[in-house]
Amino acid sequence: MTKKPLVVAMAMVFSTAAYAQDIKQVTEFDEVLVTATRISEKASDTSRSVTVVGEEKIQELQPSSVADALKNEANVSVTNGPRASSQGVEIRGLSGQRVLQTIDGARQNTNSGHRGTYFMDPELLSSIEVVRGPASSLWGSGAIGGVVAQNTKSASDFLEDGDTFGGYVKQGFETNGDKIKTSATLYGIADNIDWLLSGSYHDSNNIKIGNDQTLENSGSEVGSGLAKIGWEPSDDQRLQFSARFSDTDELVPSNPSTVVGSSVPLIQRNTKDQNVTLDYSFNPSDNPLVDLNANLYWNGTDYDEDRVTKDQIDSTEYNTIGFTINNSSSFANTVLTYGIDGYQDSIKTVRDDSGQVGERPENIDGETTVWGAFTKADIALTDTLALDAAVRYDTFKNESNNLNESSDDNAFTPSIGLVWNTTEWLTLSARYDEAFRAPSIEEMYSTGSHYCIPSIPGFLPDGLCNTFEINPDLKAEKAQNKEVKADMRFADLAGNDELAITLSVFRNDVDDFIEQTVSNPLHGIPGLEQTTSWNNVDEAQLTGFEFTTRYRYNQTRVIFNYGQTEGKDKTTDEYLSNIPAKKLGFDLSQAIMEGDIKLGTRFTYVSEQDDLPVDNLNQYDSYKLWDVYVAWEPAMGTFEGLRVDFAVENIGDEEYRQAWQTLYEQGRNFKLSARYSF
């Protein structure tokens, strides 16, 4: 009998546990979450499946995007091909608007067509936190697949006791695409005021995919900046203002996840993304009932596009203004967190139909307004048993100003989790979450032509256009996730060592999937006019697990992870599209010269994806990737303050394509960066 991978993984976990006796709990591997679960807690103490990529790992990876920084995590994938500006994050088979993105606690709701939505330069981040699985009871709409929470750098990340001023300059280069990366940061503190200024600039040519092939129109020029100032009028209060921007120039296909074609014109796209955030916190040490946090933010994203092959100018403006206020009260054995939040998204588009009258999408002018209230209770039932229960209510409304149409709905999303610290080294947990994603203005109220087939003499003399149909009755997507987790933490197994093992098993039932559908797939047949609309179609069942093992012996560290997700239509039992292939990762590193130098290697194996719908004839082969990396950061001496990172990615120049993606990924790449801190 062949054992299923889930059975094997659970056997590995609990067979390891059987040998553990009288051992201490690990400490180095306990990440502290800042925003992703709305409270600060150790990863081993939460019933959610979480991972944290810290500043040290970001430095080693030298990633080109936020998604690129997460590519080695179990059940996390990069979508939309190798162009960094268009890359997105997929969690357990769900991506796009089904994964919520936040920056310093502020929602990032921008979404429009095939355009990119992750604009943060990883160089400006102190950490990236990923919550796998639904989290709408905390964050509301969008968190069906999970949350990607990005935390920007602050002066406190760099200044040691007694320091009042500092900074660094950094220069990087990559051979693939001849990419130049320059960044600099200044920070300081004076009395009760701290500040930080940071900026970066990237310039790259076309990407080389495997076997030295060039991906045309894949170069870009990107500038980013971040400014922060914090004021602490007393020991228990803090007011912080932050502002950031990103400016991207690129000549790319209108859909950058593919190549230029008859329906995918070449465009000169300039993307400006801006944010302003004001945060206030009040946490008096003598009052356990008050731990107040308030946040007011504005995001603005402008896409200006010159369709150079069509002589047309398009623009898309997406704005979000939002706030959140929450407080935590501690009493007896309970911490109660409660609050309200709201936001309004507005989108305005201009679609130039010069030379193509009636053959372009019509303009969109609309708003989405959402109000929400939530409460979460963390209860210590006993010394070893803890319960967290949360519930949230949201009401949302979509309005199309140009069509004079509107629709509204509401959602009630509960969750519950149970954590059992069975021993000092083993924690078991189980949880249930519901989640939803409200439909967007674009999905409900797009009009005009989607695409057109040119005239064919003697058969289709007038051509044929596919037109958008509005769907004001579009329902929100809904998810119900069941999950169990085993977390084991050991120390002193063989001397100065630590071991952490985590296994999460989940089943996520997602109903009323919103998908773009075409009424008639037989192109060009007279009398069969085509339409495009967004409809509620699939009832999906996503099942799978993640298994992660981390081990440290003295200065040697090993990380092993494995993730798999299976997606099926609950009605037909057919496999779903866009489910990632099984992925295994291995990372081995060794520190030498008293920790000044770190040598490491990574290996990734992605299996063939043959779980395909019956009408899908594509082939997605397995592939193997091998990287090496070196970091040098002397703690003292002449070169104190200098850090050098070197890496070679995809050493074998593998020509590979991820499942469901159109483009092949980046080939061999040498990376080098040097940072000097003062």
Side-chain angles (χ1 to χ4, degrees):
M1 180 177 66
T2 301
K3 293 184 178 179
K4 290 184 176 295
L6 175 57
V7 176
V8 175
M10 296 184 70
M12 291 169 61
V13 171
F14 292 106
S15 63
T16 303
Y19 291 98
Q21 296 181 1
D22 301 326
I23 47 189
K24 300 176 183 178
Q25 190 174 16
V26 72
T27 56
E28 180 178 317
F29 295 148
D30 284 351
E31 308 98 330
V32 176
L33 306 181
V34 180
T35 61
T37 63
R38 289 215 182 235
I39 61 173
S40 295
E41 57 184 338
K42 292 181 179 179
S44 55
D45 291 339
T46 178
S47 57
R48 296 184 183 275
S49 178
V50 297
T51 190
V52 178
V53 177
E55 201 264 346
E56 172 69 20
K57 180 59 70 174
I58 293 174
Q59 291 275 28
E60 290 175 7
L61 291 170
Q62 304 177 66
S64 58
S65 68
V66 170
D68 190 38
L70 303 174
K71 65 183 179 182
N72 298 314
E73 304 303 319
N75 267 339
V76 180
S77 304
V78 180
T79 62
N80 300 332
R83 293 183 176 97
S85 62
S86 63
Q87 288 178 332
V89 179
E90 179 181 64
I91 302 175
R92 293 178 175 177
L94 298 174
S95 60
Q97 297 180 78
R98 299 179 181 111
V99 173
L100 177 64
Q101 178 190 175
T102 68
I103 299 178
D104 292 336
R107 296 176 62 102
Q108 308 299 301
N109 294 341
T110 299
N111 186 78
S112 180
H114 302 292
R115 299 162 183 86
T117 59
Y118 282 80
F119 306 112
M120 200 71 207
D121 181 358
E123 179 61 33
L124 306 181
L125 296 175
S126 61
S127 67
I128 307 171
E129 305 163 13
V130 177
V131 176
R132 300 183 187 92
S136 281
S137 62
L138 300 175
W139 294 100
S141 176
I144 286 181
V147 180
V148 176
Q150 303 154 68
N151 303 307
T152 59
K153 293 176 177 178
S154 298
S156 59
D157 297 326
F158 302 98
L159 292 172
E160 299 180 0
D161 291 341
D163 291 343
T164 59
F165 175 77
Y168 69 81
V169 290
K170 183 175 181 179
Q171 183 64 52
F173 176 73
E174 299 180 19
T175 58
N176 196 318
D178 299 323
K179 186 174 185 178
I180 297 173
K181 305 186 296 182
T182 305
S183 61
T185 299
L186 293 174
Y187 43 83
I189 186 170
D191 296 325
N192 55 357
I193 295 177
D194 59 87
W195 57 273
L196 178 143
L197 292 173
S198 188
S200 67
Y201 172 78
H202 297 181
D203 188 9
S204 64
N205 296 323
N206 288 336
I207 295 168
K208 291 284 187 67
I209 58 178
N211 291 327
D212 205 36
Q213 300 179 67
T214 300
L215 177 62
E216 298 296 335
N217 308 118
S218 55
S220 64
E221 184 178 358
V222 184
S224 299
L226 170 69
K228 275 187 176 182
I229 184 168
W231 175 46
E232 297 183 1
S234 63
D235 291 340
D236 50 23
Q237 292 185 84
R238 178 174 177 82
L239 183 67
Q240 178 175 280
F241 172 83
S242 65
R244 61 174 177 80
F245 78 90
S246 173
D247 191 328
T248 304
D249 273 308
E250 53 190 349
L251 183 66
V252 293
S254 60
N255 178 357
S257 66
T258 185
V259 295
V260 173
S262 58
S263 60
V264 184
L266 187 65
I267 64 170
Q268 182 70 50
R269 175 178 287 156
N270 174 251
T271 304
K272 290 184 172 67
D273 182 64
Q274 304 170 78
N275 166 266
V276 176
T277 301
L278 184 64
D279 293 290
Y280 174 74
S281 61
F282 179 50
N283 182 18
S285 58
D286 59 350
N287 189 344
L289 298 180
V290 179
D291 185 0
L292 179 68
N293 292 276
N295 176 291
L296 178 66
Y297 61 93
W298 168 80
N299 301 326
T301 306
D302 295 340
Y303 305 92
D304 292 320
E305 300 171 344
D306 181 357
R307 295 163 60 92
V308 294
T309 58
K310 300 288 187 179
D311 195 25
Q312 298 166 337
I313 302 295
D314 286 359
S315 70
T316 300
E317 296 181 6
Y318 204 107
N319 290 277
T320 299
I321 184 168
F323 78 95
T324 180
I325 302 173
N326 63 271
N327 183 62
S328 292
S329 300
S330 301
F331 47 89
N333 62 340
T334 301
V335 177
L336 187 65
T337 303
Y338 45 92
I340 60 172
D341 53 36
Y343 60 88
Q344 183 180 73
D345 296 330
S346 65
I347 180 172
K348 291 185 178 181
T349 70
V350 175
R351 299 293 177 252
D352 186 353
D353 64 355
S354 300
Q356 288 182 288
V357 176
E359 298 183 8
R360 294 292 317 281
E362 293 181 355
N363 298 335
I364 297 175
D365 181 2
E367 291 92 28
T368 297
T369 306
V370 179
W371 298 93
F374 65 92
T375 183
K376 179 176 183 285
D378 293 273
I379 307 169
L381 300 176
T382 68
D383 291 340
T384 60
L385 199 62
L387 175 74
D388 73 84
V391 64
R392 180 183 175 96
Y393 177 78
D394 287 272
T395 177
F396 47 94
K397 182 177 183 178
N398 281 340
E399 297 179 275
S400 172
N401 298 324
N402 55 314
L403 299 179
N404 197 28
E405 293 268 1
S406 66
S407 61
D408 58 80
D409 204 347
N410 58 77
F412 181 79
T413 48
S415 70
I416 188 167
L418 188 66
V419 178
W420 179 27
N421 296 307
T422 63
T423 66
E424 289 186 353
W425 50 267
L426 174 62
T427 301
L428 300 176
S429 60
R431 64 176 303 106
Y432 171 79
D433 292 272
E434 293 187 7
F436 77 100
R437 181 182 78 83
S440 69
I441 287 288
E442 198 168 31
E443 290 169 330
M444 298 185 76
Y445 296 118
S446 288
T447 56
S449 295
H450 185 194
Y451 59 84
C452 292
I453 299 170
S455 172
I456 303 176
F459 177 69
L460 201 62
D462 298 324
L464 181 67
C465 285
N466 177 295
T467 58
F468 287 109
E469 280 191 344
I470 68 171
N471 186 358
D473 298 321
L474 196 62
K475 296 183 291 185
E477 297 176 330
K478 303 176 184 66
Q480 304 87 35
N481 188 64
K482 286 72 62 179
E483 187 161 347
V484 294
K485 185 176 74 164
D487 196 285
M488 291 183 287
R489 306 291 170 113
F490 309 122
D492 298 330
L493 290 170
N496 180 18
D497 67 344
E498 297 176 324
L499 173 66
I501 303 173
T502 303
L503 170 68
S504 297
V505 184
F506 66 90
R507 171 178 158 179
N508 193 8
D509 294 288
V510 185
D511 297 333
D512 295 325
F513 251 44
I514 298 174
E515 288 192 358
Q516 188 186 84
T517 57
V518 177
S519 63
N520 170 41
L522 300 177
H523 299 292
I525 298 179
L528 297 178
E529 287 75 15
Q530 300 176 348
T531 59
T532 294
S533 61
W534 281 267
N535 300 288
N536 298 107
V537 287
D538 288 329
E539 292 186 348
Q541 184 177 97
L542 305 170
T543 58
F545 69 92
E546 299 102 27
F547 178 74
T548 301
T549 298
R550 290 172 291 171
Y551 179 69
R552 179 191 64 79
Y553 179 74
N554 293 326
Q555 295 297 311
T556 303
R557 289 169 174 80
V558 179
I559 301 174
F560 171 84
N561 63 52
Y562 176 82
Q564 72 173 55
T565 300
E566 179 184 85
K568 286 191 172 183
D569 187 306
K570 290 194 294 185
T571 303
T572 65
D573 201 40
E574 286 188 20
Y575 288 113
L576 296 175
S577 300
N578 299 315
I579 304 300
K582 304 174 182 67
K583 183 176 69 173
L584 177 151
F586 178 82
D587 190 318
L588 171 65
S589 64
Q590 173 69 52
I592 59 175
M593 296 181 63
E594 298 183 348
D596 285 358
I597 295 179
K598 183 178 182 180
L599 310 172
T601 184
R602 284 185 294 268
F603 175 78
T604 302
Y605 172 75
V606 179
S607 69
E608 175 188 6
Q609 177 56 290
D610 53 8
D611 293 342
L612 309 175
V614 293
D615 58 349
N616 192 309
L617 302 179
N618 289 310
Q619 181 176 340
Y620 304 110
D621 297 328
S622 63
Y623 55 89
K624 307 179 187 69
L625 302 174
W626 179 32
D627 309 334
V628 294
Y629 59 93
V630 180
W632 177 47
E633 189 171 15
M636 59 183 66
T638 305
F639 296 104
E640 182 182 357
L642 177 66
R643 178 185 174 111
V644 177
D645 286 275
F646 174 74
V648 186
E649 294 182 335
N650 191 2
I651 289 177
D653 202 25
E654 180 93 356
E655 184 180 4
Y656 71 100
R657 179 174 57 137
Q658 295 188 97
W660 313 105
Q661 304 301 311
T662 302
L663 299 176
Y664 283 82
E665 301 295 328
Q666 185 170 267
R668 184 187 299 114
N669 189 20
F670 293 82
K671 294 182 173 182
L672 176 65
S673 67
R675 185 179 79 174
Y676 179 71
S677 302
F678 53 88

